[in-house]
Amino acid sequence: MKDKVYWIINGEVFTQSGFRKCHLKIKNGIVEEIIDKIPEKIDGEFFDAAGCKVIPSFVDMHVHLREPGFSYKETIATGTEAAKAGGFTCVCSMPNLNPAPDSLVNLKVQLDEIEKNARIKVLPYATITKGRNGSEPVDYKALAPFVAGFSDDGSGVQNEEVMKKAMEGIAKTGKILAAHCEVEELLKGGYIHDGDYAKTNGHKGISSSSEWKEVERDIKLAEETGCRLHVCHISTKESVELVRDAKQKGIRVTCETGPHYLTFCDSDLQEYGRFKMNPPIRSVEDRDALRRGIIDGIIDVIATDHAPHSAEEKSRGLKDSAMGVVGLETAFAAVYTTMVKSGLMNFERLIEVMASRPREILKLDPMPYIRVGGKAEIVVVDTDREMLIDPDTFNSKGRSTPYEGMRLFGKIMLTI
């Protein structure tokens, strides 16, 4: 079979020595050459990346692809096409599906769909408990070779003894337990942050303690069991400090937050379903603590929690709309505009939290920079390109985003 050759020319390539203007030759999916002078004759196809940055592609540890079971919201095909458009070449799919991936038989339903329809690599999570019901453990040893880790995302495991036994079992596999931390008895019917906007506009609030109290519990259990705990979508300043303390003690804990928690606070809320997600957008103090956590390395990863719903499910306002927003196609621009272009952090840190650190946690090739002999998992970005966020242009079936109508910088030009 003929070798497949592709060139990326004239870009600012992120190499071991930092960004440099050079040219990449990719052969059969591997970076074969990084050269300063372009050949007179280029063999194969090429992309002219003049004015753009060429960096490792992104990995999202937390997406909802909705298939099997809820394909009216999203499919593996549409979700992974959205991911590719957003610069991602690998995503981890959450297990709130039907059937739930709580056995090899049920997981195979999803794996077959992935094999047929995924446009990029998809690593599924298996559930922590059977049916995600929070009570009966699954066969962690049998499922581990086929999954990114274990999660009951969408609901927290409420029973401490069940969670401890789960951590003991998952610790033996070496996989992560990705915890949705939420104390259900503290929710009290809330659906947005229990802050000024909720009080002023007559909404029921979700307290910060409903998140951080379960983060605190799960960190304690991780210390007792040695399990690799990954805390999903943290949104409160208390959660940041709990993770900070745990890391200082050497506990095996990592965590993520989402782009929207870095951009918005509850004073930005509007009476639309596109501002409703779980956990909710919280106070300005929480937002600023999350930003500091990203900058100083306490928060390991930015993950989208891409959660598509139908237009009807998101059309019922803040009170009655379904929880969840889409994020794959806006993630890079949102993080770049909020954190890098604003001067809060450098571009290299963005690469860490969106590309290399997720790979490290998942025990993939970490790809801290583009190198000869490395996989050609690459994204070309134009950081000077301003975009008006128009959900009607999304590849995802989901259209609900708090960034709708905003102008963000950072367009994805090419994903390999």
Side-chain angles (χ1 to χ4, degrees), residues 143-162:
L143 288 161
F146 306 100
V147 297
F150 298 87
S151 182
D152 272 4
D153 188 60
S155 54
V157 176
Q158 301 302 295
N159 184 288
E160 182 171 341
E161 189 58 34
V162 170

Side-chain angles (χ1 to χ4, degrees), residues 77-202:
T78 58
T80 55
E81 196 64 51
K84 187 175 73 171
F88 296 90
T89 57
C90 177
V91 297
C92 299
S93 57
M94 286 297 172
N96 46 349
L97 302 168
N98 186 19
D102 56 5
S103 66
L104 288 174
V105 170
N106 287 349
L107 177 63
K108 188 176 186 303
V109 177
Q110 186 184 5
L111 291 175
D112 288 347
E113 290 295 331
I114 290 168
E115 185 175 1
K116 284 190 295 183
N117 296 313
R119 309 294 198 258
I120 61 168
K121 181 189 288 291
V122 177
L123 301 174
Y125 285 99
T127 62
I128 297 171
T129 61
K130 289 186 178 179
R132 295 177 47 253
N133 62 16
S135 56
E136 190 176 354
V138 302
D139 188 340
Y140 304 115
K141 183 178 179 181
L143 288 161
F146 306 100
V147 297
F150 298 87
S151 182
D152 272 4
D153 188 60
S155 54
V157 176
Q158 301 302 295
N159 184 288
E160 182 171 341
E161 189 58 34
V162 170
M163 190 58 144
K164 183 174 182 179
K165 287 181 179 178
M167 285 193 182
E168 289 170 345
I170 293 168
K172 294 174 184 176
T173 71
K175 295 289 183 176
I176 60 170
L177 186 155
H180 176 114
C181 290
E182 185 173 61
V183 182
E184 292 176 0
E185 66 180 18
L186 296 179
L187 296 179
K188 302 185 186 303
Y191 47 86
I192 64 170
H193 176 59
D194 185 18
D196 291 341
Y197 187 92
K199 294 178 177 66
T200 302
N201 294 277

Side-chain angles (χ1 to χ4, degrees), residues 4-63:
K4 186 173 182 180
V5 176
Y6 194 88
W7 288 82
I8 301 175
I9 60 172
N10 299 322
E12 292 285 335
V13 180
F14 188 60
T15 66
Q16 187 173 12
S17 57
F19 282 103
R20 78 179 228 238
K21 174 81 173 288
C22 56
H23 317 282
L24 298 182
K25 181 182 181 182
I26 297 164
K27 185 175 180 180
N28 299 330
I30 301 295
V31 178
E32 187 175 74
E33 293 184 73
I34 301 176
I35 56 176
D36 293 321
K37 186 177 180 181
I38 194 166
E40 290 185 10
K41 184 178 180 181
I42 292 178
D43 54 324
E45 299 179 63
F46 72 93
F47 180 85
D48 190 342
C52 297
K53 289 182 167 57
V54 183
I55 60 178
S57 61
F58 311 133
V59 172
D60 195 334
M61 293 183 64
H62 191 141
V63 303

Side-chain angles (χ1 to χ4, degrees), residues 162-371:
V162 170
M163 190 58 144
K164 183 174 182 179
K165 287 181 179 178
M167 285 193 182
E168 289 170 345
I170 293 168
K172 294 174 184 176
T173 71
K175 295 289 183 176
I176 60 170
L177 186 155
H180 176 114
C181 290
E182 185 173 61
V183 182
E184 292 176 0
E185 66 180 18
L186 296 179
L187 296 179
K188 302 185 186 303
Y191 47 86
I192 64 170
H193 176 59
D194 185 18
D196 291 341
Y197 187 92
K199 294 178 177 66
T200 302
N201 294 277
H203 292 294
K204 290 185 178 180
I206 299 175
S207 66
S208 294
S209 60
S210 67
E211 174 181 297
W212 68 258
K213 282 186 177 293
E214 196 149 296
V215 173
E216 184 177 52
R217 182 203 73 178
D218 287 352
I219 287 172
K220 175 180 73 77
L221 295 177
E223 183 176 25
E224 293 172 2
T225 62
C227 183
R228 295 175 63 215
L229 172 66
H230 179 78
V231 185
C232 294
H233 46 50
I234 67 169
S235 67
T236 72
K237 59 184 184 294
E238 293 90 352
S239 296
V240 177
E241 291 310 305
L242 285 164
V243 173
R244 186 189 304 274
D245 291 345
K247 287 188 171 190
Q248 289 173 350
K249 293 176 182 175
I251 301 169
R252 302 176 77 190
V253 57
T254 56
C255 69
E256 67 189 43
T257 195
H260 41 282
Y261 302 118
L262 300 171
T263 303
F264 302 102
C265 59
D266 68 340
S267 63
D268 299 312
L269 293 177
Q270 299 176 32
E271 292 293 311
Y272 302 110
R274 60 192 175 91
F275 287 92
K276 186 177 183 182
M277 70 287 293
N278 189 27
I281 291 166
R282 296 197 185 270
S283 72
V284 66
E285 292 82 11
D286 292 304
R287 183 202 66 187
D288 291 349
L290 294 167
R291 289 177 175 181
R292 289 192 298 272
I294 286 287
I295 293 162
D296 64 19
I298 297 306
I299 299 174
D300 299 84
V301 166
I302 292 175
T304 65
D305 193 6
H306 176 83
H309 295 286
S310 70
E312 193 280 326
E313 288 170 322
K314 294 299 290 184
S315 67
R316 307 169 191 160
L318 268 184
K319 181 176 183 294
D320 296 315
S321 289
M323 293 276 199
V325 294
V326 296
L328 286 166
E329 292 168 88
T330 56
F332 171 75
V335 176
Y336 177 78
T337 304
T338 299
M339 300 298 293
V340 180
K341 188 173 176 61
S342 67
L344 290 174
M345 74 180 191
N346 61 34
F347 200 96
E348 289 79 1
R349 179 64 182 148
L350 181 150
I351 294 170
E352 287 180 4
V353 295
M354 293 189 69
S356 59
R357 187 67 177 129
R359 286 179 169 92
E360 289 174 359
I361 293 169
L362 295 166
K363 298 186 177 179
L364 306 173
D365 182 348
M367 290 186 66
Y369 48 82
I370 293 172
R371 61 180 175 82

